[in-house]
Amino acid sequence: MKFYQAVVAAQGRLSASAALARTQEFYRLFLAPGMDHCGGGPGPNQFGQAGGTGDAEHDMVVALEQWVEKGVAPTRLMATKFLSDDKAKGVAMTRPLCLFPQIAKYKGSGAVTDAANFVCAAE
């Protein structure tokens, strides 16, 4: 996080929003709340890093390819938490991973385990 903030700050004499926009042209940060360092943890922790689904919304590698090869930058990723971290056991929850500085906010209705009930918004 400190490195990302340093990159934003290094964009020159720009307003904070302009510096963030310039940084996001080449560097995007998606936080994964509840995920341990490389995987696991109580939160949604699968989004392509261990063999994804092959679509840019659920697979960070495909999202990166789309950005680099086609100029389509990701604005959010969808993360999944499997029961006992085992895909064969089914989905425990899904949650959007939002482009920083946005966070996933619950809309106020529906299951808190379903990403459809969250929106990416400013903190």
Side-chain angles (χ1 to χ4, degrees):
M1 180 64 100
K2 286 183 181 181
F3 180 76
Y4 184 79
Q5 291 168 333
V7 171
V8 173
Q11 296 309 305
R13 295 181 178 216
L14 300 174
S15 67
S17 61
L20 179 63
R22 179 182 281 178
T23 301
Q24 289 179 346
E25 291 175 8
F26 64 89
Y27 183 178
R28 294 192 167 205
L29 175 64
F30 296 86
L31 300 177
M35 181 176 159
D36 291 342
H37 180 68
C38 290
N45 55 26
Q46 295 297 315
F47 40 93
Q49 76 277 24
T53 60
D55 70 84
E57 187 177 23
H58 296 87
D59 188 325
M60 67 179 187
V61 174
V62 175
L64 183 59
E65 288 173 349
Q66 293 291 313
W67 189 12
V68 171
E69 296 175 5
K70 298 182 180 175
V72 180
T75 57
R76 76 177 202 164
L77 297 167
M78 195 62 59
T80 302
K81 172 73 172 177
F82 294 106
L83 294 166
S84 302
D85 289 323
D86 183 350
K87 190 174 184 177
K89 292 184 179 180
V91 174
M93 69 176 355
T94 58
R95 188 74 41 89
L97 303 182
C98 305
L99 177 60
F100 183 83
Q102 293 184 332
I103 61 169
K105 287 193 173 183
Y106 180 57
K107 293 178 183 177
S109 63
V112 296
T113 56
D114 186 351
N117 299 319
F118 288 80
V119 62
C120 290
E123 194 165 354

